[in-house]
Amino acid sequence: MSGYKKRFTLCVSKGVSIPATLIKGDTPGGFMAVSAGVHSREYVGIRAVTRMASSLTPGQIKGTVLFLHCVNYEGFIKRTPDTMTDGLNLNSVFPGERHGSAALKTADFLCRKIIPRCGFILDLHSGGFCEQLVPHAYFQGTSSPEVSRLSKEMALYSCVPYAVRSEAENGFYSYAGQLSVPAIILERGGCGLWSREEVSLDIKDTLNILRGMGFLNDGKAPRKHPVRIFEKGKYINAPVSGCWLPKKNAGDFISKGEVLGEIQDIYGRVLHTEYAGSPGVVLYQTASLGIEKGSPMIACGLL
Ligand SMILES: [Zn+2]
């Protein structure tokens, strides 16, 4: 059997399209999607997908790999915030609506046309435009034990130091898990930046995950890494608007009761002090000085 590679555009609706590359391998096997750009300013995964989709050949692939280069491509080009043209965050609107606005239609398209075809989904993300982040993964933790086990196994094929069992019920990978497709998010980079080193690590992780799940025929053995697993994550939003002064860095370990940071008003008066409720590690936190009430402030993996 001889495989092929094709580049095409998936048309979700007028004005919403997803650039894609499909590589059908010379050897039969399953179907895996590797996506990036669900959030338009998370660049590391987008660049990694471009490079992998360009360099991988059908001879190296077992089964089929679908690369979704940039799910929110219009937002990526316009450098809009991490929402689609309708102002909605795609990862908050699953399963979407067939006749809704751009994000709703895209979620519906992914649910109907992409997820049901997939045996596995790897969704590449970074910290947000104003977010400092330590590389980590989220694996499906609320679906069936087998889907959770396979999702965790995918995470262990990455070289990130931490992975968190996710209880999220929304988002591309979470919804995939609910439809019995093992899926993870791999997070690397942040603050609207990307570097060659980060892209190389995303490529290394993706190739090892493809290898580990049986999609890569390159003669190399997949390697599991000593990824530290956190069974729970805590995601804290700012309780007031003001100036956010973190006391820790992403990747720092924290002990119970330790000060994570404080919010001051513009005159320097303390409005709020955030304490760690449990020991764990800082996964990501807001890097900008200004912070708005209700927006993400700091997230921790809990021991
Ligand atoms: Zn993201």
Side-chain angles (χ1 to χ4, degrees), residues 124-174:
L124 301 173
H125 283 247
S126 303
F129 202 63
C130 292
E131 248 165 30
Q132 180 208 31
L133 174 146
V134 67
H136 63 280
Y138 295 100
F139 61 94
Q140 256 300 314
T142 52
S143 35
S144 73
E146 182 60 3
V147 171
S148 293
R149 185 188 70 77
L150 287 167
S151 302
K152 185 174 171 180
E153 192 168 323
M154 290 172 75
L156 294 177
Y157 282 119
S158 75
C159 69
V160 297
Y162 311 119
V164 183
R165 181 183 298 278
S166 170
E167 294 174 345
E169 290 179 355
N170 216 312
F172 184 27
Y173 88 112
S174 304

Side-chain angles (χ1 to χ4, degrees), residues 38-119:
V38 162
H39 294 135
S40 51
R41 302 183 297 187
E42 298 179 3
Y43 298 129
V44 176
I46 296 170
R47 182 63 192 152
V49 165
T50 299
R51 283 189 42 196
M52 287 184 284
S54 161
S55 63
L56 284 170
T57 63
Q60 294 173 295
I61 299 293
K62 189 177 171 200
T64 303
V65 177
L66 173 67
F67 288 102
L68 300 176
H69 288 243
C70 188
V71 176
N72 183 5
Y73 183 65
E74 281 74 20
F76 167 74
I77 291 299
K78 292 190 169 79
R79 291 179 297 186
T80 51
D82 292 328
T83 53
M84 300 200 68
T85 47
D86 54 7
L88 295 175
N89 178 349
L90 173 60
N91 255 4
S92 305
V93 298
F94 277 76
E97 282 173 37
R98 199 164 184 166
H99 301 292
S101 56
L104 293 163
K105 273 185 182 145
T106 304
D108 171 75
F109 177 87
L110 294 171
C111 286
R112 283 188 301 108
K113 304 275 191 188
I114 303 296
I115 295 173
R117 293 189 66 180
C118 292

Side-chain angles (χ1 to χ4, degrees), residues 258-278:
E258 201 173 351
V259 175
L260 300 178
E262 63 186 27
I263 297 178
Q264 297 181 357
D265 69 11
I266 203 69
Y267 302 101
R269 296 174 296 201
V270 177
L271 301 175
H272 171 78
T273 303
E274 187 68 38
Y275 296 93
S278 308

